[in-house]
Amino acid sequence: MRKTVGVIIAVVFAGSVLLLLTGIVNKINRVRQASDKIKTFPAFSFLTLDNELFNSSDISHGPLLVVLFHPECEHCHYEISELMESSISLSGSTVMLVASAVPDSIRKFIGRFNNISNTGFFLLADTSCQFGDIFGSNVVPTNYIYDKDLKLVKVLHGEVKTETILKYLLSDANDSQN
C-alpha cells in the first residue's frame, strides 16, 4: 500500500513539474515571438477615445514613442506629465498613449493635462487587452521607442525619466542631421 502511495505521489509530482516546465517554455516562446514581432512597428488595431478604429497603418513614419499606461497608475501620471512639459511636441515625434481601460477612464486621466491636444499625440484604448500579446509586455508604464523608419530603438519598462526617453527618441533625428 505504501509503495502504491509513493508511486502515486511521484507521478503527481512529476506531472506537476512537467506542467510547470511546459508553461515556462510556452511563456518564453511567446515573449521571444513578441520580441521578434516588435523589432519593426507591429500591426494592431485599437480604439480612439471617440470609439473609432486606429490601426498601426495610420502611423507612416517615426520617430515614435508608444507608451503603455493605466489611468490609475501614479508612475504613469508622473511620466506622462513630465512628457507633456518636455520639448517632445517640438521634436517632430509621434506619441501613442495606450491604456487597457475604457475611454471614459482614459479621458478623465488625460483631462489633468492642459496640452494633450498637441498634434502628434494619439490617445488609444486597448479595450480587448491585446497590447501584451502584440508588444510582449503589460508592465505599466512601458515605453517603446521607434526610429524614423519604425525600427525598434529601445524598450523601457517602468517609470523612466523624460530625459532618458528623449535621448533615445531624438537620437535618430540628431543622427540624420549630422
Side-chain angles (χ1 to χ4, degrees), residues 116-167:
I116 192 67
S117 62
N118 290 341
T119 57
F121 278 83
F122 295 96
L123 302 169
L124 304 173
D126 176 20
T127 55
S128 60
C129 299
Q130 61 181 339
F131 191 96
D133 292 335
I134 296 167
F135 285 89
S137 178
N138 285 319
V139 175
V140 291
T142 297
N143 300 275
Y144 299 84
I145 302 168
Y146 289 89
D147 67 11
K148 67 179 188 239
D149 298 319
L150 298 176
K151 303 288 184 204
L152 185 66
V153 173
K154 189 76 173 169
V155 177
L156 302 166
H157 296 283
E159 184 180 311
V160 179
K161 291 186 181 242
T162 303
E163 295 81 21
T164 303
I165 294 170
L166 291 176
K167 175 179 84 172

Side-chain angles (χ1 to χ4, degrees), residues 3 20 26 29 38 60 63 66 85-86 100 138 153 161:
K3 221 179 207 184
L20 179 64
N26 287 339
N29 286 335
I38 65 170
S60 59
V66 179
E85 293 176 13
S86 74
S100 295
N138 285 319
V153 173
K161 291 186 181 242

Side-chain angles (χ1 to χ4, degrees), residues 59-77:
I59 304 287
S60 59
H61 61 83
L64 169 67
L65 172 62
V66 179
V67 180
L68 176 63
F69 76 99
H70 193 277
E72 296 175 13
C73 169
E74 290 180 30
H75 300 286
C76 299
H77 181 263

Side-chain angles (χ1 to χ4, degrees), residues 41-46 54-60 96 150:
F41 190 52
F44 64 80
S45 294
F46 296 127
F54 182 94
N55 297 305
S56 55
S57 60
D58 293 330
I59 304 287
S60 59
M96 283 179 34
L150 298 176

Side-chain angles (χ1 to χ4, degrees), residues 34-120:
S35 178
D36 289 343
K37 190 173 21 174
I38 65 170
K39 286 181 181 177
T40 56
F41 190 52
F44 64 80
S45 294
F46 296 127
L47 292 176
T48 67
L49 298 188
D50 297 325
N51 285 320
E52 295 177 16
L53 204 56
F54 182 94
N55 297 305
S56 55
S57 60
D58 293 330
I59 304 287
S60 59
H61 61 83
L64 169 67
L65 172 62
V66 179
V67 180
L68 176 63
F69 76 99
H70 193 277
E72 296 175 13
C73 169
E74 290 180 30
H75 300 286
C76 299
H77 181 263
Y78 170 78
E79 188 174 293
I80 291 172
S81 66
E82 291 296 309
L83 281 172
M84 295 299 158
E85 293 176 13
S86 74
S87 62
I88 201 165
S89 61
L90 304 174
S91 71
S93 301
T94 301
V95 179
M96 283 179 34
L97 301 176
V98 183
S100 295
V102 295
D104 286 341
S105 177
I106 298 169
R107 256 189 227 95
K108 182 178 177 184
F109 173 83
I110 293 300
R112 303 174 188 177
F113 309 107
N114 295 330
N115 54 351
I116 192 67
S117 62
N118 290 341
T119 57

